[in-house]
Amino acid sequence: MATVHITQEQADEYAIGSLEPQAERLVALHLGECLACRELARDSERLAGALALAAPRRKAPHRLRQRVMRGAGLMRPSPFHRVTVVARAAAGIAAVFVAVAAFTGMVSIRGQMGDLREHNDRLQAQIDDALSQKIEIAALTRGLDEAERNSAELKRAAASDRDLLLALMSPKTKVADVFTRDDGTFSIGRLVWDEDQKRVWFVARDLPQRPKGETYQLWANAGGRFYSLGIFAPDVTGFARYDTTVPQGLATYESAVVTVERAGGSNERTGPSVFVADLSGLRN
Amino acid sequence: MTQGHPESTGIRNIGRASEIARFTDGGIDVRIEWPDEALMVAITVSRDESAFAVLYDRYVDLVYSASLRVLADAQLAEDTTQDVFVRLWRRPETFISERGKFLSWLMSVARNRAVDELRARGRRRKREGGPLGEPDEASTPLFAGECEDPPRSAELHEAQVLVRRALTGLPVDQQRALELAYFRGMTQQEIAFTLHEPLGTVKTRIRLGMQKLRRALEQQV
């Protein structure tokens, strides 16, 4: 098969670059293999190269020479340029130092902030612990106060019991039965009147709790006048024990009554009688 | 003793060129009279910076002018010119003197580099959605009939006069087709589209134009 060579026309078109890209590639491939066609193409390229001389003449800028020489690596930098480069390098190094210092400072500040945050967390934990302890101490204090109150109450009760026992042993002490005025209740009580100690004990059981705003109040009747001996309240089991001193000036007495009065007690008897004790026949 | 210049040996003849280069010294003042091919020998063999400087000063305006004619942008023309000369310094062996004159080779390199840049710019504009029209098309004359600056040498002046005379001697439609192909980097189909002419007509105009130019510039190239 005979080799197809390029024509002069194709060589010219190739040289001035007017071939389509695909045709241009085919021609270039052929030129790589065919010496004769390569010579033909070179002739066309020389002609095309001359065409560039037809361009309107323009003066190249003077600065271009420096650019080219520098680009080719042929221009030595001027002292001023060196100074500028050194100054720029120094400025760059200084900037790096500043940046490093700033970065280090930031890191340091961040570290300090982290330490402070950690310290703050520790303090907060300590505060929480202290608050917890304070709450526990308050609870313990309340419990202790209550225990003290209970203890005092028990002591007082024990002392009262001892006094009551002493009173019961005294020949001058008199005991009266206390009767409930309500036939529907089964309350039973005793009134112990100690002449020596000038003290009175009131003991009862199965006594109902009074509603809020009411209280039991003990009175002594002397010549038709009622002297208040105090107020009392039963415990949750209905047991009540109350002791008090006999008011001064009260030499004789005829009866004792327990009434229901408003909370805090009354100066004069106003409520209904719950218990009545006939004191005229007090027995030793 | 007056120093001469190396003969235009062709850079492939390295042995002889090296011999010649050893006797070359004396800076730009001496080399300024050397022919292009001798300067290229000195650059290739001896990395002669003065020879390069002489070649640069001798042809920078031509390279810049051709680049500007293609690109119609002073900054891009500067960049292209710089690229052409830097490549010349780094790879001078790409010039082979047996294949033709240095000036034709240099101008081909400059034109091809500028057209590459022109096409790349066209692709960028197309990608960025910018206008696709050729810049400065209407205001720029066809092949100029006279120079803006006086040529550096009589030889150059003579070459330019010959080329311009040959081109201006062509019919305007042939000038136009060659102009669009060579300085605008257009293919024949693009030229036909631009001129609203059949493809065959464009091919004929280019063929006839090149034939006439060849006859007119036979001695020059």
Side-chain angles (χ1 to χ4, degrees):
Chain A
M1 183 179 170
T3 305
V4 179
H5 295 285
I6 64 172
T7 63
Q8 182 67 64
E9 182 182 355
Q10 287 172 321
D12 288 344
E13 291 169 349
Y14 177 77
I16 65 170
S18 66
L19 286 174
E20 298 302 318
Q22 189 175 1
E24 191 176 51
R25 280 194 293 274
L26 289 174
V27 171
L29 281 174
H30 179 73
L31 293 179
E33 300 170 347
C34 180
L35 181 61
C37 290
R38 205 152 54 231
E39 287 301 323
L40 193 66
R42 281 176 188 157
D43 174 65
S44 296
E45 284 171 345
R46 283 192 289 271
L47 181 62
L51 286 176
L53 293 173
R57 188 76 174 269
R58 296 285 186 272
K59 189 86 174 161
H62 289 295
R63 63 175 178 275
L64 185 55
R65 194 176 201 279
Q66 283 190 333
R67 282 183 57 187
V68 169
M69 297 304 166
R70 192 173 294 129
L74 302 178
M75 176 167 281
R76 278 73 178 171
S78 65
F80 176 75
H81 181 71
R82 286 181 199 161
V83 168
T84 306
V85 169
V86 169
R88 283 181 182 169
I93 291 169
V96 168
F97 273 113
V98 169
V100 168
F103 178 73
T104 307
M106 284 178 63
V107 169
S108 174
I109 289 171
R110 284 175 66 88
Q112 289 176 3
M113 286 178 65
D115 292 344
L116 286 172
R117 201 172 285 122
E118 193 176 341
H119 185 62
N120 187 49
D121 290 343
R122 283 200 300 272
L123 285 175
Q124 188 62 46
Q126 290 174 359
I127 289 170
D128 292 342
D129 289 344
L131 283 174
S132 300
Q133 290 173 359
K134 185 178 180 183
I135 290 169
E136 289 175 5
I137 289 170
L140 289 172
T141 303
R142 278 196 305 272
L144 186 60
D145 289 345
E146 190 174 348
E148 284 180 350
R149 279 194 302 272
N150 291 336
S151 175
E153 182 66 22
L154 287 172
K155 282 181 180 176
R156 198 190 66 79
S160 179
D161 289 345
R162 188 196 60 189
D163 292 342
L164 179 58
L165 285 174
L166 290 173
L168 289 172
M169 292 168 63
S170 171
K172 292 184 179 179
T173 298
K174 297 172 182 174
V175 179
D177 295 331
V178 181
F179 302 96
T180 176
R181 294 291 300 267
D182 186 354
D183 292 339
T185 62
F186 300 97
S187 301
I188 299 172
R190 292 284 186 277
L191 191 71
V192 180
W193 195 286
D194 184 355
E195 288 288 348
D196 292 339
Q197 298 183 68
K198 295 294 183 186
R199 293 183 67 182
V200 176
W201 283 265
F202 174 77
V203 182
R205 71 177 188 186
D206 299 329
L207 202 59
Q209 296 282 336
R210 300 313 308 173
K212 191 176 182 181
E214 290 181 355
T215 185
Y216 291 108
Q217 188 164 4
L218 181 63
W219 305 88
N221 177 15
R225 184 181 175 187
F226 287 90
Y227 292 87
S228 176
L229 298 179
I231 58 175
F232 64 91
D235 63 16
V236 292
T237 64
F239 176 76
R241 189 196 55 189
Y242 174 70
D243 69 293
T244 184
T245 55
V246 176
Q248 286 187 350
L250 183 63
T252 61
Y253 31 82
E254 297 165 2
S255 64
V257 296
V258 174
T259 62
V260 175
E261 302 292 341
R262 67 176 185 274
S266 302
N267 292 327
E268 292 186 357
R269 173 187 169 184
T270 59
S273 300
V274 181
F275 290 102
V276 176
D278 181 8
L279 302 183
S280 59
L282 283 178
R283 55 184 171 80
N284 290 331
Chain B
M1 176 179 149
T2 307
Q3 288 179 312
H5 59 73
E7 295 176 37
S8 306
T9 57
I11 293 177
R12 289 291 174 83
N13 194 351
I14 295 295
R16 189 177 173 194
S18 303
E19 212 168 286
I20 293 166
R22 276 201 294 273
F23 295 100
T24 58
D25 202 0
I28 291 177
D29 289 345
V30 174
R31 289 161 181 76
I32 204 165
E33 296 182 358
W34 289 4
D36 301 337
E37 286 74 14
L39 292 169
M40 286 302 289
V41 169
I43 291 170
T44 307
V45 176
S46 307
R47 306 301 294 156
D48 190 327
E49 298 178 11
S50 298
F52 176 72
V54 169
L55 270 182
Y56 174 86
D57 291 336
R58 189 176 288 175
Y59 294 121
V60 64
D61 289 346
L62 285 178
V63 171
Y64 176 74
S65 300
S67 302
L68 187 62
R69 183 70 187 94
V70 172
L71 293 163
D73 183 305
Q75 186 58 52
L76 287 176
E78 278 188 45
D79 295 343
T80 301
T81 304
Q82 178 184 358
D83 191 47
V84 168
F85 279 101
V86 170
R87 286 186 187 203
L88 186 151
W89 170 252
R90 289 179 180 165
R91 299 195 60 196
E93 70 278 5
T94 52
F95 168 67
I96 299 170
S97 62
E98 290 93 337
R99 294 180 184 173
K101 289 189 174 181
F102 171 78
L103 180 58
S104 297
W105 174 81
L106 180 66
M107 297 312 288
S108 288
V109 170
R111 178 264 174 192
N112 292 339
R113 181 69 191 84
V115 167
D116 287 344
E117 177 60 32
L118 183 69
R119 288 174 177 163
R121 187 174 60 174
R123 286 194 295 273
R124 281 197 297 272
R125 285 186 176 180
K126 197 172 181 179
R127 208 166 44 236
E128 296 162 4
L132 296 174
E134 294 297 336
D136 210 16
E137 183 66 35
S139 60
T140 309
L142 297 182
F143 298 113
E146 59 184 32
C147 303
E148 186 178 80
D149 301 319
R152 189 177 294 271
S153 70
E155 188 183 355
L156 264 182
H157 176 65
E158 187 182 354
Q160 287 189 297
V161 167
L162 277 172
V163 172
R164 286 172 184 148
R165 187 180 298 161
L167 281 166
T168 52
L170 298 176
V172 173
D173 54 359
Q174 292 176 17
Q175 281 188 48
R176 187 67 172 163
L178 289 174
E179 159 87 6
L180 293 175
Y182 191 73
F183 283 117
R184 290 288 177 261
M186 290 185 180
T187 66
Q188 290 166 346
Q189 284 187 349
E190 289 170 337
I191 295 169
F193 180 80
T194 302
L195 299 179
H196 306 289
E197 297 282 3
L199 178 61
T201 304
V202 171
K203 289 175 73 75
T204 302
R205 287 176 183 171
I206 289 176
R207 178 171 52 82
L208 294 176
M210 290 296 282
Q211 284 176 357
K212 292 175 186 173
L213 281 178
R214 180 170 284 105
R215 282 196 295 273
L217 301 175
E218 197 169 6
Q219 296 301 318
Q220 174 65 23
V221 299

